Amino acid sequence: MTPKKDSIEKLFNEISEGYDLFNHLTTLNIDKRWRKKAIRHAVDGTSPQEILDLACGTGDFTIAIAKAACPESRVTGVDIAADMLARLRKKARKAHVEKMIRVEAGDAEALRFADATFDVVCVAFGVRNFENREKGLREMLRVLKPDGKLVLLELSVPDNFVARRFFKFYLVHILPWIGGALTGNRASYRYLAASVMAFPGPDTFKQILKDSGFRHIRQKPLSFGICRLYTAEK
């Protein structure tokens, strides 16, 4: 594992305990609405699917996918941080969907799965933490079945000037303070804020998806562009 991957793994293990509360508190629970919109694109509730949730963290998205999917479907959650996955397992049992979910530690840039394994690959708020974004996207493409779908949520700096100024102030000053108060680890949340601001804009990221081999690429801004929903096909 590279030094950056080591640091990302360490960071998310350290903040795993307060991670869910932080997400819901700092977004006023709007993150749940974003996931619901993504699930409408990812899940066919009438037919069994093989669905991969990459950078799944504590599993809010993984569990929501399993609840929406056909009972014969299987949802595989992969994350680099073991402490995050431990929380996912507990939450899946509490939600009574543990039989539908397979959880394992892994690197999104070097997946162990065979080519054309999954009908859908999902990523919620994780691509910005990849060390090699293009390599991770090519891995997603590889494990997708022909005509399989990519569904991706990522935080974004809004296009509107006023919204952009407010959001940047919130990222730089408010978000790390809340994260530090909840977990005692303000530095980690400074990194997360910086990673949002450094992520490519929608036009650039759509081109990256195209260059990685995806087609039928679409992008939809959510909540004034604070979050963006990307969909694409193999």
Side-chain angles (χ1 to χ4, degrees), residues 128-144:
R128 70 179 186 276
N129 296 313
F130 288 7
E131 182 171 33
N132 187 323
R133 188 178 298 124
E134 288 78 5
K135 186 176 180 181
L137 291 170
R138 289 194 298 271
E139 276 290 88
M140 296 178 211
L141 186 75
R142 180 184 66 78
V143 300
L144 274 172

Side-chain angles (χ1 to χ4, degrees), residues 189-204:
Y189 289 96
R190 289 196 187 101
Y191 159 76
L192 292 175
S195 70
V196 175
M197 290 190 289
F199 194 75
D203 290 340
T204 300

Side-chain angles (χ1 to χ4, degrees), residues 22 59 78 81 114 126 138 143 170 176 187 198 200 221 228:
F22 171 82
V78 174
R138 289 194 298 271
V143 300
Y170 180 77
R228 295 185 187 272

Side-chain angles (χ1 to χ4, degrees), residues 99-112:
K99 292 182 179 179
M100 294 179 65
I101 294 176
R102 177 176 61 188
V103 179
E104 58 182 74
D107 180 356
E109 298 168 28
L111 296 171
R112 68 162 190 84

Side-chain angles (χ1 to χ4, degrees), residues 78-113:
V78 174
D79 198 276
I80 200 170
D83 289 358
M84 290 281 198
L85 295 177
R87 294 185 178 277
L88 191 164
R89 292 185 181 96
K90 292 179 181 178
K91 289 162 63 175
R93 288 193 294 270
K94 187 175 180 179
H96 306 293
V97 292
E98 70 273 18
K99 292 182 179 179
M100 294 179 65
I101 294 176
R102 177 176 61 188
V103 179
E104 58 182 74
D107 180 356
E109 298 168 28
L111 296 171
R112 68 162 190 84
F113 308 109

